Amino acid sequence: MKVIFVAGTAGAGKSLLTSKIHEYYTRNGAFTSILNLDPGIITSPYTADIDIRDHVDIVSIMRQFDLGPNGALMMANDLIASKIDEIQQEADRINPDYLIVDTPGQIELFAYRTSGPYFISNFVSEQKVGLFLYDGALVTTPLNFVSMALLATSIKLRLGIPTINVLTKTDLIADKISEILRWTTNVKALENAIAEGSDGETYILLTNILRSLNLGGFAQGLIPISNSTGDGMINLEAALSRILNLGEEVED
């Protein structure tokens, strides 16, 4: 069993991309299952084979501990770690080739509290990889792009697994994709774009961040994906196979 953790900011398209990856692998003959780790999700574009909501109930937490929605979400996310044995047993019983994990929408609750890194570190599998989603609707400006790259780097450090960066919602930003991808490999082009739209203080701050992150290319290899159509899935699967399968790709 090889595990793919799908992470990103709220609204970046984690659940939809999870469903697209599942469809792609299944269509090409791989036995694939989905683990929903978001205790606050109401509806999703997939049917989870394993669901944290079977073990952690937000409404019950609110009632039992007299908490509001935010407090209940914090507690629910912390409880994820306490349910790892039950979830591991379910996953081992299913024993898929690939287990795709849809992580909580509030990335800060999963990555920066103890439960997320603990779960990833202690969940037993052959290989693990993370996907960090750059929300295409948010990263069309240099300032937002650098901010997201900084967050992606921080999340990678917290979760401690190999990470692939994915640009989502490409169908909504068709006119900006080539420029965004150029920023990932050409720091000078990004610095010039920052200079055009920033004051001196912002420019200095952003360029200093860039120079700290970019020793070798902080977002190099950013893979564009359309969450609605699945365009780009072949490139994403190839990147996943390089980590999970030593380059042996699923037949398309």
Side-chain angles (χ1 to χ4, degrees):
M1 177 172 59
K2 298 161 186 178
V3 184
I4 302 167
F5 292 92
V6 183
T9 53
K14 294 184 292 295
S15 295
L16 192 51
L17 183 59
T18 295
S19 71
K20 293 297 182 184
I21 297 172
H22 179 268
E23 290 171 8
Y24 182 91
Y25 276 117
T26 301
R27 188 171 63 247
N28 289 285
F31 178 28
T32 310
S33 297
I34 294 177
L35 162 59
N36 170 46
L37 267 192
D38 190 344
I41 196 172
I42 298 175
T43 61
S44 69
Y46 57 76
T47 299
D49 301 282
I50 310 169
D51 200 326
I52 190 64
R53 293 175 298 177
D54 294 334
H55 305 277
V56 178
D57 183 357
I58 291 283
V59 175
S60 296
I61 290 173
M62 292 173 67
R63 290 172 178 166
Q64 181 177 353
F65 297 98
D66 194 24
L67 295 172
N70 290 332
L73 274 174
M74 290 176 65
M75 178 173 281
N77 273 270
D78 288 344
L79 287 173
I80 289 174
S82 71
K83 303 300 180 181
I84 188 170
D85 289 340
E86 293 96 319
I87 293 172
Q88 182 78 61
Q89 289 172 9
E90 290 185 62
D92 289 343
R93 184 168 59 252
I94 298 171
N95 194 27
D97 298 322
Y98 299 95
L99 179 66
I100 309 167
V101 183
D102 189 8
T103 65
Q106 292 76 12
I107 185 63
E108 67 278 8
L109 296 182
F110 184 71
Y112 294 116
R113 297 176 72 84
T114 304
S115 58
Y118 176 87
F119 186 94
I120 289 179
S121 175
N122 289 279
F123 191 83
V124 179
S125 65
E126 296 175 57
Q127 296 285 347
K128 302 171 188 174
V129 65
L131 302 181
F132 183 85
L133 277 54
Y134 282 59
D135 188 334
L138 297 181
V139 297
T140 55
T141 68
L143 190 151
N144 286 356
F145 179 82
V146 175
S147 299
M148 192 66 71
L150 186 58
L151 176 61
T153 303
S154 176
I155 297 299
K156 179 179 180 179
L157 289 173
R158 286 290 299 163
L159 300 185
I161 54 177
T163 301
I164 298 168
N165 293 312
V166 179
L167 177 65
T168 62
K169 305 179 183 177
T170 56
D171 47 307
L172 301 180
I173 56 167
D175 58 331
K176 298 288 290 184
I177 293 174
S178 59
E179 183 177 19
I180 293 171
L181 294 180
R182 186 159 60 98
W183 292 342
T184 70
T185 56
N186 188 329
V187 177
K188 189 62 179 176
L190 182 51
E191 288 185 356
N192 290 340
I194 292 170
E196 291 175 4
S198 307
D199 58 34
E201 183 178 354
T202 302
Y203 174 79
I204 292 172
L205 175 60
L206 289 178
T207 52
N208 283 338
I209 291 173
L210 273 178
R211 287 161 188 163
S212 298
L213 292 177
N214 191 63
L215 303 177
F218 63 91
Q220 198 162 1
L222 186 63
I223 299 174
I225 293 284
S226 168
N227 290 36
S228 60
T229 66
D231 286 350
M233 191 60 64
I234 293 176
N235 293 331
L236 176 56
E237 192 279 325
L240 287 167
S241 75
R242 283 193 287 273
I243 297 173
L244 297 176
N245 303 320
L246 301 178
E248 295 183 10
E249 300 178 22
V250 173
E251 294 293 334
D252 185 23

